[in-house]
Amino acid sequence: MKNFANPIIFFDGYCNLCSSSVQFIIQRDPHQQFRFASLQSNFAKKILPQFNISITHSNTVILLHNGNIYTRSTAALKIAKKLTGAWSYMYAFIIVPTFIRDFFYNFIAKNRYRWFGKKEACWIPTTALKALFIEND
């Protein structure tokens, strides 16, 4: 398994909430430490099965960092920890048991299309942001 230099966030490219979250992260990541790949990308199809993650039924954000996979609320909190401003303090919620955090995460994930909508095609980053996205590695 290749160890990537930057943490990689896998997200649902059709989900409006997920795409907005990626844009939110980019704005609060001035050192551009994160890289992004949609769950629909060839890269995700190649990498995630190595971690026994099925992308066809995945309704979670996935963080690949230092050869480790994090999902759901744990991924979200580890991402928040690396953001600028007060967002890094969200990591304090890591002390809440995972099953409680994931209960709320799963509730939002289950309703994300109904509440926030779904795109007909994956979100395409601007030319300036294209370098942060992995499509076919």
Side-chain angles (χ1 to χ4, degrees):
M1 164 93 287
K2 180 179 177 183
N3 194 8
F4 299 95
N6 295 84
I8 301 170
I9 298 171
F10 295 91
F11 67 99
D12 181 349
Y14 294 118
C15 169
N16 286 334
L17 174 62
C18 304
S19 295
S20 295
S21 297
V22 167
Q23 294 171 50
F24 178 90
I25 292 165
I26 289 170
Q27 291 171 358
R28 287 151 186 85
D29 181 23
H31 302 294
Q32 297 184 338
Q33 56 194 321
F34 291 109
R35 296 297 177 266
F36 304 89
S38 75
L39 290 169
Q40 295 80 14
S41 69
N42 288 332
F43 179 73
K45 292 173 187 171
K46 180 176 121 183
I47 297 297
L48 294 178
Q50 297 176 35
F51 293 94
N52 295 319
I53 295 178
S54 169
I55 58 171
T56 56
H57 296 95
S58 185
N59 64 349
T60 179
V61 63
I62 300 169
L63 175 65
L64 172 57
H65 184 51
N66 291 331
N68 297 307
I69 287 282
Y70 305 97
T71 61
R72 296 182 177 78
S73 64
T74 302
L77 291 174
K78 286 189 174 282
I79 292 165
K81 183 179 181 180
K82 293 184 170 286
L83 300 180
T84 58
W87 295 103
S88 62
Y89 296 119
M90 294 292 291
Y91 189 72
F93 286 102
I94 202 78
I95 65 169
V96 175
T98 305
F99 76 93
I100 295 172
R101 289 187 278 117
D102 282 351
F103 172 81
F104 292 103
Y105 183 95
N106 291 336
F107 180 72
I108 294 168
K110 181 180 174 185
N111 293 291
R112 72 189 190 278
Y113 291 145
R114 185 173 18 170
W115 294 342
F116 301 98
K118 182 177 180 180
K119 298 176 185 341
E120 293 298 320
C122 286
W123 172 67
I124 307 293
T126 64
T127 304
L129 298 177
K130 193 91 171 144
L132 299 176
F133 289 78
I134 304 168
E135 292 303 319
N136 299 309
D137 190 14

